[in-house]
Amino acid sequence: MSMRMRKKRNFDARMDACGDLLLAKGANGILNMKEAAENYRALIDFQTAFGNNQPVALEIGCGKGGFVIELAKQTPTVNYLALEKMSNVILTPMEEVKKQGVENVRFLNIRAECLPCYIPEHSLDVIYLNFSTPLPKLGYANQRLTHRNFLEVYKKLLKAGGKIIQKTDDRDFFDFSLEEYQACGYALTEVSYNLHENGNPDWNIVTEYEQKWVERGLPIHRVVAKLN
C-alpha cells in the first residue's frame, strides 16, 4: 500500500504567496477533463503571463523543479511552463523560483491531458519529458506520456518543427516511446541508450533522479523527437 504524502505545513498560505506564478490549477490540486470543461475560461496569454513574446517551452512532470529552474537560468531568452499535477509537490519548485528570483518560469497544477484547455495551438517550441512514470503494468500503456494519444495532443501544441526531448532510465519504456513517436510521424534524432557513457555532456542538466541512477552505473536513455 502506498503512503500518502503529508501535506506541507502552512500549505494554503504558502500556495497563496506563490499565486502569481500559477497559471492553471484544478480542484483539489488536480484538474481532470471534466473539471477543465467546467472551469475553462480562456487560453493562457503568454504575453500577459510572462510580460514578453519570447519562445515558450514546457516540462511535463517538473517534480522539485531542479531541471526547469536551471534551464531557465541558463536560457533567460526562453519562457518555461512547468507542469506538475500534485499541489503538494508543485509548491516546492514555486517557492524555489521565488527564492532565486527566476523571472521566466510559470506553473500549471493540472493533468497533462488538460493541456489543450490552456495552451494555445502551435505555441510551444519544445516539450520536455524527464523520467516520466513508465507505468509498466498491462493495461496502462494509454496513460504513458509518450502514448500516441498524448503525442497527437502534443502535435497540436507544438509549432511546426517543434520537438519533444525525452530522458528515461527505463529501457522498455524508451523502446515503447520510440515506436510511438515513429507511428505518429515524429522524426527521431539524437537517440542515445547511454547518455553518460563518456561522462555527462556539457549541455545536459542532470536531475536529482538522474544523478541517483548515474551513480549506480545505470544507463540513461535520451531522444529528440521532431515534428516533420
Side-chain angles (χ1 to χ4, degrees):
M1 189 170 85
S2 62
M3 298 278 295
R4 173 178 261 181
M5 182 182 293
R6 180 178 296 177
K7 192 173 183 179
K8 290 180 171 65
R9 181 175 296 180
N10 300 321
F11 174 81
D12 292 335
R14 291 163 64 184
M15 283 290 286
D16 288 344
C18 298
D20 58 319
L21 299 177
L22 194 58
L23 302 183
K25 184 179 186 299
N28 299 317
I30 304 176
L31 187 67
N32 58 38
M33 285 303 290
K34 182 176 183 295
E35 291 170 339
E38 293 172 348
N39 299 327
Y40 174 73
R41 293 294 179 272
L43 296 172
I44 295 169
D45 183 324
F46 293 146
Q47 168 68 48
T48 300
F50 291 98
N52 58 60
N53 287 315
Q54 295 179 164
V56 180
L58 165 70
E59 183 186 14
I60 300 178
C62 69
K64 295 180 180 179
F67 173 84
V68 73
I69 292 172
E70 181 59 31
L71 187 59
K73 291 192 293 186
Q74 290 184 11
T75 51
T77 56
V78 177
N79 295 326
Y80 292 94
L81 296 170
L83 181 151
E84 175 55 57
K85 68 181 182 180
M86 301 304 298
S87 298
N88 210 39
V89 175
I90 204 171
L91 177 58
T92 297
M94 287 199 300
E95 289 187 327
E96 193 61 30
V97 163
K98 284 278 189 182
K99 178 181 177 181
Q100 296 191 34
V102 182
E103 300 289 341
N104 55 328
V105 180
R106 300 292 184 273
F107 294 87
L108 306 171
N109 190 194
I110 59 174
R111 293 182 181 274
E113 58 263 35
C114 298
L115 281 167
C117 295
Y118 296 95
I119 305 301
E121 289 191 358
H122 309 303
S123 63
L124 301 178
D125 287 76
V126 186
I127 294 175
Y128 294 94
L129 300 175
N130 290 315
F131 303 95
S132 308
T133 304
L135 296 168
K137 291 183 179 180
L138 291 175
Y140 282 75
N142 64 352
Q143 296 181 36
R144 295 170 183 161
L145 291 178
T146 55
H147 186 274
R148 61 194 65 188
N149 291 348
F150 281 104
L151 296 184
E152 291 299 330
V153 170
Y154 305 154
K155 276 185 180 180
K156 296 178 181 178
L157 304 182
L158 287 166
K159 295 179 180 178
K163 56 190 177 182
I164 299 169
I165 302 178
Q166 180 190 9
K167 287 195 291 185
T168 179
D169 59 289
D170 191 293
R171 174 62 183 268
D172 290 339
F173 179 41
F174 190 60
D175 289 338
F176 167 87
S177 300
L178 298 183
E179 292 177 1
E180 292 293 285
Y181 290 131
Q182 292 176 308
C184 291
Y186 289 79
L188 303 184
T189 62
E190 302 179 42
V191 179
S192 173
Y193 285 90
N194 192 350
L195 179 61
H196 296 265
E197 184 175 14
N198 297 311
N200 184 53
D202 292 339
W203 45 263
N204 183 52
I205 297 173
V206 180
T207 69
E208 291 182 5
Y209 184 88
E210 181 177 353
Q211 185 60 38
K212 292 179 182 178
W213 288 103
V214 172
E215 289 174 355
R216 296 179 189 176
L218 299 174
I220 301 299
H221 317 306
R222 181 182 182 272
V223 64
V224 175
K226 187 174 182 180
L227 284 179
N228 289 326

